[in-house]
Amino acid sequence: RLTCRGFKDKEASQLETYAGTAQRASQRLLCSIAAVKRWPIVACDISKAFLQGLTYREMSELTGEPVREVNLEITATAAEMIRRIPGFESFDEQVEVLHNDKPGTGLVDAPRAFGLKVSQVLTELGLKPTAVDPEVWTWHAPTSHGESGRTAASSSGRTAESGKLVAVLTKHVDDLKMSGQAERLKQIIDALESVFGKMTQHWNEFQNCGMRHRRNTETHVITVDQIEYIAALKPIVDPQIGKNNAEQDCSKLLHDLFRSLLGATAFATLTRADVCVFVVSLQKAAHQSKVKHVKMLNRLVRWMQKHPKALVYRPMDEPLCLHTYSDSAFKKEETTGHALKGTVVILTSANASGRTAVAHLLEFSAKRVRHVTRSTFSAELFAACDSVDTTLLLAQLLHDIWTPQQSFGGARRLRESGGY
């Protein structure tokens, strides 16, 4: 593999390099929809992804940006190997360079070029991105006559599934996770493989975005967990911990170990809603940690390992209903008013009742209140407002997934007048 030394790219700081990934809530929402619809789930990985993006000329035609000129100076060692390629026998690295038709491995615009190429393939197939999360793509059955893949026509001339959701997909650079009707998933995979070559496919049990997904093909129950990841975390061992010096500042080595383990533990909150508040509390000490914080973190890691948990998505009946809960903790101090807020958003059946009702956990968070507060009331109010804001975005995302997409103006009218 030929890798460009991207740090020598003089235009790197001026380039548009954004290559989005699906939000955490979107990843959970796909599992929720798969459980509701009793659909299979599949993860696909595109090999050598960054070498398969759009060319610079294609990117220019698509975006209106000028065609980028990229040429590589080759070292003598690399030139020896290049001369073995037919047509390059006379390559002279002292007076010649290699011209790039498209971004290569090592260049900062390679992920964007690849992402644009995937989006192009999905668009041609008939999928559309959602307004809230452009990395969530949906496919609805066509409403026009004569389209392929439809069910038997009804008396009105339309099909039974006309306009209904038939597949949903999330993008995380070159990792794709999708769910839908089996024949629709095959169409998506075939379309992608015709452009990017054979993909690695994992059906109903796989690792995606650091989370293990498992689907029971008989009960249609989907579980998402990080049990293996958490089990591999190693509590910190250091001579400074054993002494009776809880209030002592950590040494540089111990502080670095603390920050490393804290970051690894924070990643586990993708599925562990129960420890979010403890992680946020410890993150306050990330800049200047004491020995007591290291001990607290070790206890938290051991507790997580002792009590493995998973997100569970069980089948439930439509129509669906979103619920949001907010809470806040306030502590009065002399110079600052610190407050923590928490949000939980769940999806249930609108007809559900009682303790046996099925609930899907879609979003959860624990973080600092962004505003200065001076009372419990203001802390609770800010938390409630943020919780509702989060839920409105999820309501719009669910609406875009469940129904054929509309304009941004239509989304605004839903926000103002209801009708999700």
Side-chain angles (χ1 to χ4, degrees):
R1 173 177 293 184
L2 183 67
T3 303
C4 311
R5 290 176 289 185
F7 62 89
K8 289 194 171 187
D9 186 351
K10 296 178 180 179
E11 296 179 337
S13 61
Q14 306 165 23
L15 298 174
E16 175 63 50
T17 60
Y18 177 75
T21 59
Q23 301 170 11
R24 296 185 305 172
S26 301
Q27 297 283 2
R28 302 186 195 105
L29 185 55
L30 184 143
C31 296
S32 174
I33 292 172
V36 171
K37 293 288 192 179
R38 283 77 168 174
W39 283 342
I41 55 176
V42 56
C44 298
D45 179 62
I46 300 174
S47 62
K48 300 182 180 64
F50 292 167
L51 300 180
Q52 303 203 59
L54 295 176
T55 66
Y56 284 120
R57 186 164 297 280
E58 290 172 334
M59 289 179 68
S60 176
E61 294 171 354
L62 181 66
T63 64
E65 300 168 356
V67 178
R68 190 166 179 240
E69 182 75 16
V70 177
N71 300 286
L72 308 181
E73 295 177 351
I74 302 300
T75 63
T77 304
E80 291 180 10
M81 291 184 283
I82 289 175
R83 281 191 283 269
R84 301 175 191 173
I85 302 173
F88 285 82
E89 293 86 354
S90 62
F91 180 80
D92 184 353
E93 73 278 7
Q94 296 186 19
V95 295
E96 293 178 308
V97 294
L98 291 184
H99 172 73
N100 264 30
D101 289 329
K102 61 173 65 175
T105 305
L107 293 177
V108 295
D109 50 353
R112 180 181 179 229
F114 171 73
L116 290 172
K117 186 69 170 286
V118 174
S119 298
Q120 199 175 64
V121 175
L122 296 177
T123 300
E124 290 172 356
L125 188 60
L127 281 78
K128 294 182 179 179
T130 61
V132 174
D133 188 348
E135 304 311 316
V136 176
W137 291 70
T138 60
W139 195 2
H140 294 87
T143 55
S144 58
H145 302 293
E147 298 281 357
S148 61
R150 302 193 308 173
T151 58
S154 63
S155 57
S156 63
R158 290 190 175 187
T159 66
E161 67 172 21
S162 177
K164 290 187 177 180
L165 179 71
V166 294
V168 60
L169 175 149
T170 59
K171 285 170 53 185
H172 189 90
V173 193
D174 59 338
D175 291 323
L176 308 178
K177 182 169 71 176
M178 61 188 87
S179 180
Q181 299 171 354
E183 64 273 17
R184 300 289 184 168
L185 296 180
K186 187 176 185 305
Q187 283 181 263
I188 296 173
I189 292 171
D190 288 346
L192 290 168
E193 288 189 336
S194 68
V195 176
F196 299 109
K198 194 69 175 175
M199 298 190 300
T200 304
Q201 301 176 33
H202 299 282
W203 290 76
N204 296 320
E205 185 166 348
F206 51 82
Q207 290 271 357
N208 181 265
C209 296
M211 300 177 288
R212 179 175 62 176
H213 297 66
R214 290 186 292 182
R215 174 179 178 266
N216 188 311
T217 55
E218 295 181 358
T219 63
H220 308 291
V221 174
I222 296 173
T223 60
V224 183
D225 67 71
Q226 293 171 285
I227 294 174
E228 293 180 358
Y229 170 80
I230 294 171
L233 297 179
K234 298 186 185 304
I236 298 170
V237 178
D238 189 274
Q240 192 178 359
I241 300 177
K243 301 175 183 177
N244 189 19
N245 55 352
E247 295 297 330
Q248 183 179 339
D249 289 341
C250 293
S251 64
K252 185 181 185 307
L253 174 60
L254 184 56
H255 178 68
D256 290 343
L257 291 172
F258 171 77
R259 286 173 57 89
S260 176
L261 182 58
L262 180 59
T265 306
F267 181 70
T269 58
L270 285 172
T271 57
R272 293 298 296 262
D274 55 328
V275 301
C276 284
V277 67
F278 303 109
V279 172
V280 172
S281 177
L282 288 169
Q283 284 174 336
K284 289 183 177 182
H287 296 294
Q288 189 172 0
S289 58
K290 297 182 181 294
V291 174
K292 66 178 182 180
H293 298 126
V294 180
K295 293 180 178 180
M296 291 176 184
L297 180 58
N298 279 346
R299 283 202 300 271
L300 178 61
V301 170
R302 292 189 180 104
W303 189 89
M304 293 169 65
Q305 293 172 336
K306 188 177 180 181
H307 300 86
K309 297 181 186 297
L311 299 176
V312 181
Y313 298 94
R314 296 183 174 86
M316 60 183 176
D317 298 324
E318 302 177 52
L320 305 176
C321 181
L322 274 177
H323 302 253
T324 184
Y325 302 89
S326 76
D327 195 13
S328 183
F330 170 75
K331 181 178 181 181
K332 184 177 180 181
E333 297 178 355
E334 293 298 325
T335 57
T336 59
H338 284 304
L340 287 180
K341 63 180 180 182
T343 296
V344 173
V345 183
I346 63 173
L347 186 70
T348 70
S349 171
N351 302 322
S353 62
R355 293 182 176 274
T356 58
V358 175
H360 292 176
L361 186 56
L362 296 186
E363 182 64 308
F364 51 86
S365 65
K367 57 185 72 173
R368 300 181 189 182
V369 174
R370 295 172 293 176
H371 308 83
V372 175
T373 58
R374 289 287 180 260
S375 67
T376 300
F377 174 79
S378 60
E380 295 281 10
L381 183 60
F382 282 130
C385 290
D386 288 344
S387 183
V388 170
D389 287 344
T390 298
T391 309
L392 283 171
L393 288 174
L394 279 173
Q396 181 63 51
L397 179 58
L398 266 171
H399 185 86
D400 285 350
I401 290 175
W402 232 251
T403 62
Q405 267 110 64
Q406 51 192 324
S407 65
F408 287 102
R412 185 182 67 249
R413 287 190 291 274
L414 284 172
R415 165 68 183 88
E416 296 172 348
S417 307
Y420 288 117

